[in-house]
Amino acid sequence: MNLANRITIARIFLVPVVTFLLLVRFHFWTLTINHRTTTGSEMIAALVFILAASTDGLDGYIARKHQMITNFGKFLDPIADKLLISAVLISLVEMQRLSAWVAILIISREFAVTALRLVAAVEGIVIAASRIAKWKTAIQIVAMVALMLNNFPFSYVGVPFDTIMVYLMVLFTLWSGIDYFVKNKSIINVNA
């Protein structure tokens, strides 16, 4: 197994670590600002999540640079991404920091686009990530970290940064999902 695929597998193994830290909150240290509490385990979870999310770009870069692209990696990389994003979204719903409809919308979009890519792959077509989708991913990561940290440090100054990021996350999720299906409608028409 090559290095890029090992990094992808490491991202999968970080999923239960992040969810454990979020859902089994250790109160060895807490910070409360304006009636919002952030625990030490939530801060560690956010750091682990950032590490895991950053491996997405790293594994792809290494695979391309060193010509390590494999079918296994092509299949596993998007699965690892969906697992990480879905697990954190569901955890945030459980923590009552995110509305369930937002998580359902985002997870549904992720799986719909993955299905579109699988249909395209059967036809021998590779659908690359669009610029909007890359922005969507970055916004999702920032929004989820803000929610994990319960809006820390923005709660110091009373700025609802986490709420703003959730709205942006929903907007870019919808926009990028529609963009994929509009740009690839020929794939859908051929297979319908």
Side-chain angles (χ1 to χ4, degrees):
M1 182 177 306
N2 67 40
L3 177 61
N5 290 342
R6 285 186 182 143
I7 292 170
T8 302
I9 289 171
R11 183 161 68 253
I12 291 170
F13 282 116
L14 289 175
V15 171
V17 174
V18 172
T19 53
F20 177 79
L21 289 167
L22 285 174
L23 298 177
V24 183
R25 295 186 229 167
F26 299 104
H27 296 278
F28 57 85
W29 178 81
T30 59
L31 177 67
T32 303
I33 304 163
N34 294 339
H35 307 291
R36 287 184 169 217
T37 300
T38 305
T39 67
S41 64
E42 291 165 350
M43 289 194 172
I44 295 169
L47 291 173
V48 173
F49 174 72
I50 291 167
L51 172 69
S54 67
T55 64
D56 181 29
L58 180 63
D59 60 4
Y61 171 77
I62 289 171
R64 286 185 300 277
K65 183 175 181 184
H66 299 287
Q67 288 141 11
M68 297 178 177
I69 297 171
T70 64
N71 287 334
F72 179 74
K74 286 181 196 176
F75 174 77
L76 196 61
D77 183 62
I79 299 298
D81 298 342
K82 303 319 175 234
L83 285 171
L84 180 64
I85 296 298
S86 298
V88 171
L89 288 170
I90 293 166
S91 298
L92 290 167
V93 170
E94 172 68 20
M95 296 166 68
Q96 299 181 348
R97 293 193 184 165
L98 183 68
S99 296
W101 72 267
V102 174
I104 291 166
L105 177 94
I106 292 169
I107 293 169
S108 297
R109 179 263 181 219
E110 296 297 332
F111 282 96
V113 170
T114 299
L116 177 65
R117 283 188 163 138
L118 289 172
V119 169
V122 168
E123 300 293 325
I125 301 167
V126 175
I127 299 176
S130 68
R131 178 170 289 172
I132 298 166
K134 290 177 182 178
W135 274 99
K136 181 259 326 166
T137 301
I139 290 167
Q140 279 182 344
I141 292 166
V142 172
M144 288 189 273
V145 168
L147 291 167
M148 282 186 228
L149 297 177
N150 211 5
N151 204 39
F152 174 79
F154 298 97
S155 52
Y156 271 122
V157 290
V159 174
F161 180 76
D162 55 350
T163 304
I164 293 166
M165 292 309 300
V166 166
Y167 284 120
L168 281 174
M169 179 171 63
V170 168
L171 175 69
F172 273 82
T173 295
L174 290 172
W175 183 13
S176 66
I178 292 166
D179 182 60
Y180 271 116
F181 281 90
V182 168
K183 286 182 178 173
N184 296 288
K185 64 184 172 197
S186 62
I187 295 168
I188 300 165
N189 291 335
V190 168
N191 290 289

